[in-house]
Amino acid sequence: MNILGIETSCDETAAAVYGSVGLLSNIINSQNIHHKYGGVVPELASREHIRLILPIIKKSMADANLTLNQLHGIAVTYGPGLVGSILVGLNTAKALAYALNLPWVGINHIEGHIFSIYLTYPNPKLPFISLIVSGGHTQLVYVEQFGHYKIIGRTLDDAAGEAFDKVAKMLDLGYPGGPIIDKLAAQGNKNFVQFPRSIIKENKYNFSFSGLKTAVLYYLKRLADHEREKYGADIAASFQAALVDVLVEKTFIAAKNRKIKHIVIAGGVARNSYLRNLFQRRAENEGLHIYIPDPIFCTDNAAMIAWVGFHKLQHGIKSDYSLAPEPGLKL
Ligand code: KG4
Ligand code: ZN
């Protein structure tokens, strides 16, 4: 069985083929046009998806060494994300499925992130605790089995990746800020400033990053331009540590309280080197198993959509042509 996956929920135009033997191709185009605006411009994203979607699908088929007639189904993201962006991928999937007379299925982007782990490791055992940390989402999810999820914590304001991007903007580092802060922080001292670690009392599994963001802003306001330059790496490292320490702490509390031995991390922020190291070290110390996807499967990709689609279609779960984009789709 060969399944074509399509992902266009934000600013990555991506297509991949997942087959019975594993991943056959994985093409991702990250749209560069947004960089000069310091964030994703929805209208430009939709237009780029229209321009790129067919060439990207063709390339994914060529890389997989398959023709369209050798496909058995199509999987496509239908939410959450930007409505105009989702529409391009979803309508392309519908048109292809109709023309080729194939079954197809709409996939929740977050579900894709959770299961992206199986593209790197075959063995994370269910149930597991999943921490999803991306530009749009920060959630702690109890994954009981495929299709059965319980959200146990979420951000009350910014997503983790959004906080990285906004602090990078304050430091004039460019967009997307996560990878730039990661690199800069490697040369800095994480104990340079003690930024606040937010612990939320009502639900200890919820997150909040707006206080941290404001603390960085006020700290920077007190500095002269040459000091910002001089201490940029230290401030980046201190911010990164404050944010990641909270992610790690809450994830381990959730796993321990539920007596779960397996933790899975997903989403763009899971590429962060400090986060990867800290989770690994802590897991070794506490005898838990931590699984973090290869970096290419952390940020948005269609391989994770194809993987979930493969397993849904295998269980006979299909969509019909009335399915519409759901920008606010929940898990
Ligand atoms: O999962 P993703 O590609 O898109 C969403 O579904 O939102 O995540 C993108 C986010 C951006 O905010 C980006 O700054 C962040 O992931 N990111 C990182 C790193 N690489 C990407 N954040 C911290 N450290 C990184 N190395
Ligand atoms: Zn994503």
Side-chain angles (χ1 to χ4, degrees):
M1 189 158 102
N2 299 315
I3 303 302
L4 171 68
I6 299 174
E7 157 63 43
T8 63
S9 66
C10 191
D11 59 341
E12 265 84 24
T13 316
V17 180
Y18 188 87
S20 309
V21 292
L23 187 63
L24 300 175
S25 67
N26 185 31
I27 309 298
I28 306 165
N29 176 81
S30 296
Q31 303 175 355
N32 294 325
I33 44 163
H34 307 285
H35 290 189
K36 64 175 177 237
Y37 302 101
V40 178
V41 184
E43 180 61 29
L44 293 181
S46 313
R47 289 183 198 192
E48 276 295 270
H49 286 311
I50 291 172
R51 190 173 72 79
L52 291 165
I53 188 71
L54 291 180
I56 294 281
I57 290 174
K58 274 190 187 152
K59 176 109 177 62
S60 73
M61 295 304 300
D63 269 25
N65 217 359
L66 294 176
T67 62
L68 289 173
N69 292 327
Q70 290 169 293
L71 287 177
H72 302 93
I74 298 175
V76 60
T77 303
Y78 77 105
L82 301 168
V83 66
S85 290
I86 299 168
L87 204 55
V88 178
L90 184 56
N91 280 350
T92 306
K94 284 181 183 175
L96 270 176
Y98 190 77
L100 298 166
N101 196 21
L102 289 176
W104 68 282
V105 60
I107 305 294
N108 183 318
H109 180 82
I110 307 291
E111 198 177 10
H113 273 303
I114 291 174
F115 290 100
S116 63
I117 196 61
Y118 290 110
L119 297 162
T120 303
Y121 298 103
N123 53 344
K125 291 213 176 59
L126 290 154
F128 57 68
I129 295 287
S130 177
L131 171 71
I132 302 129
V133 269
S134 71
H137 307 275
T138 298
Q139 288 181 356
L140 262 176
V141 179
Y142 173 62
V143 181
E144 196 178 0
Q145 50 176 293
F146 187 60
H148 293 260
Y149 318 112
K150 186 172 178 355
I151 297 172
I152 54 180
R154 63 184 175 84
T155 180
L156 301 177
D157 38 61
D158 289 354
E162 200 180 347
F164 266 98
D165 295 337
K166 286 179 178 168
V167 167
K169 209 168 181 176
M170 291 177 204
L171 288 162
D172 288 327
L173 296 175
Y175 176 86
I180 311 174
I181 289 195
D182 188 353
K183 221 167 148 191
L184 185 65
Q187 303 146 31
N189 170 10
K190 72 180 174 67
N191 299 316
F192 186 76
V193 196
Q194 278 304 309
F195 286 126
R197 270 87 172 143
S198 69
I199 304 297
I200 291 138
K201 297 216 171 63
E202 310 82 69
N203 175 351
K204 57 181 179 287
Y205 302 127
N206 280 346
F207 302 93
S208 166
F209 300 117
S210 66
L212 170 60
K213 213 176 53 187
T214 311
V216 176
L217 182 69
Y218 280 108
Y219 186 83
L220 287 172
K221 274 192 175 168
R222 297 207 312 261
L223 299 183
D225 283 353
H226 75 277
E227 287 176 315
R228 280 180 173 225
E229 186 102 349
K230 188 171 168 198
Y231 302 121
D234 297 321
I235 297 164
S238 303
F239 155 75
Q240 178 179 269
L243 189 146
V244 171
D245 286 354
V246 173
L247 294 177
V248 172
E249 191 59 36
K250 294 196 175 218
T251 307
F252 275 89
I253 295 175
K256 276 195 193 153
N257 285 352
R258 287 182 175 257
K259 299 192 169 45
I260 303 287
K261 288 268 177 212
H262 297 254
I263 295 173
V264 169
I265 320 291
V269 181
R271 290 179 83 120
N272 184 268
S273 40
Y274 176 76
L275 177 149
R276 296 176 85 95
N277 280 334
L278 198 60
F279 266 114
Q280 295 290 4
R281 260 191 288 137
R282 181 91 182 249
E284 274 163 31
N285 289 342
E286 303 199 11
L288 297 187
H289 303 278
I290 195 95
Y291 301 94
I292 312 179
D294 285 344
I296 190 74
F297 300 123
C298 290
T299 28
D300 288 350
N301 65 84
M304 65 189 194
I305 303 303
W307 191 97
V308 175
F310 181 98
H311 290 86
K312 290 212 178 215
L313 289 167
Q314 213 173 33
H315 286 93
I317 302 167
K318 294 186 268 185
S319 296
D320 67 55
Y321 290 91
S322 61
L323 188 74
E326 282 196 42
L329 183 64
K330 301 270 181 290
L331 196 60

